[in-house]
Amino acid sequence: MDAAAQRVAGTEQLVHWSRQAVTVIDLDGVDRLVIGRHTSCELVVDDAQVSRRHAVLERVAGGWTAADLGSRNGTTLNDSPLLTSAPIYDTDVIGIGDSRFGIRGTERRSDSPTKVGPAPPALTRRERDVLVALVGPTRTGDVLRDPASTREMAASLYVSEAAVKQHLGRLFDKFGIVDGDRRRVRLANEALRRGAIRLTDLQIAPSQS
């Protein structure tokens, strides 16, 4: 990718790879840049997959960070879900819709891309519904105190408790939650940490089937 965009020595630049072109934006003097579909954003991306205010890049001491702004489709960092603010290095690639972004010429550099944790396992639609029902009621910040009970999940999903337990069993296996205390709490936190569900999902009622 870097070969497609010429870097000017001594400057920091944001490289934007889209389906149509490669664009290089000089970041000298820029401290904050919001990326989104709305015209109020510093960088407007005309893509239906991009939220009105999708993500933000901010200059910090010694470099830059990227954070998702609660977008519908999420932001990735090196193909993994970006769930919290993360530092950005020369080798990192930020994904927003069909676009890819990278900051080049930063003072802090890394020989390998930033790691943001493992990707979530493949889930069926109903397994995802179960996770939303598990996490939704009692999320506080980024940590769950008490996720929904099996009875509460069954009521919200219009299924039996036995069916919920079957789905939970498969989800424990997929997320590597071994026997032990507070397995539902651990599953809920892993689902959020690995991007299996997003904060915006918790505002949408699960599908009935």
Side-chain angles (χ1 to χ4, degrees):
M1 288 183 175
D2 291 329
Q6 298 297 318
R7 184 192 308 173
V8 179
T11 66
E12 290 180 342
Q13 298 174 322
L14 176 69
V15 185
H16 175 196
W17 296 276
S18 69
R19 290 182 180 275
Q20 293 77 32
V22 178
T23 305
V24 179
I25 301 169
D26 189 349
L27 293 177
D28 287 352
V30 177
D31 293 322
R32 189 172 189 269
L33 191 149
V34 175
I35 302 171
R37 196 157 37 87
H38 196 268
T39 54
S40 63
C41 297
E42 284 79 17
L43 177 55
V44 178
V45 178
D46 185 13
D47 181 346
Q49 300 178 69
V50 175
S51 296
R52 291 165 60 85
R53 292 172 62 83
H54 196 108
V56 61
L57 303 176
E58 293 188 281
R59 187 188 297 274
V60 296
W64 287 81
T65 62
D68 186 80
L69 294 176
S71 64
R72 172 71 67 185
N73 293 312
T75 302
T76 61
L77 177 57
N78 302 318
D79 295 325
S80 295
L82 178 61
L83 304 178
T84 60
S85 179
I88 303 300
Y89 301 105
D90 262 3
T91 52
D92 292 328
V93 177
I94 304 161
I96 297 176
D98 284 333
S99 293
R100 298 295 178 266
F101 300 88
I103 294 180
R104 303 295 180 254
T106 55
E107 293 180 5
R108 296 175 62 190
R109 297 189 180 186
S110 173
D111 292 333
S112 59
T114 301
K115 295 182 179 179
V116 294
L123 301 174
T124 66
R125 186 183 67 172
R126 185 46 105 187
E127 287 171 347
R128 191 169 176 277
D129 287 347
V130 168
L131 287 178
V132 171
L134 175 70
V135 174
T138 55
R139 183 185 178 279
T140 302
D142 288 322
V143 178
L144 293 157
R145 295 177 178 175
D146 277 317
S149 67
T150 302
R151 177 176 296 180
E152 290 169 335
M153 295 166 66
S156 66
L157 294 170
Y158 302 97
V159 298
S160 68
E161 291 184 47
V164 170
K165 290 178 180 178
Q166 288 181 349
H167 287 301
L168 285 174
R170 288 193 288 269
L171 287 166
F172 290 144
D173 289 340
K174 287 187 174 184
F175 281 89
I177 307 295
V178 298
D179 291 341
D181 295 334
R182 299 178 66 79
R183 283 206 297 170
R184 285 185 297 108
V185 174
R186 288 152 57 200
L187 173 61
N189 278 296
E190 274 295 290
L192 283 172
R193 185 181 73 86
R194 295 173 62 177
I197 57 174
R198 299 185 53 79
L199 305 187
T200 50
D201 295 330
L202 306 185
Q203 303 170 5
I204 303 172
S207 59
Q208 299 178 24
S209 64

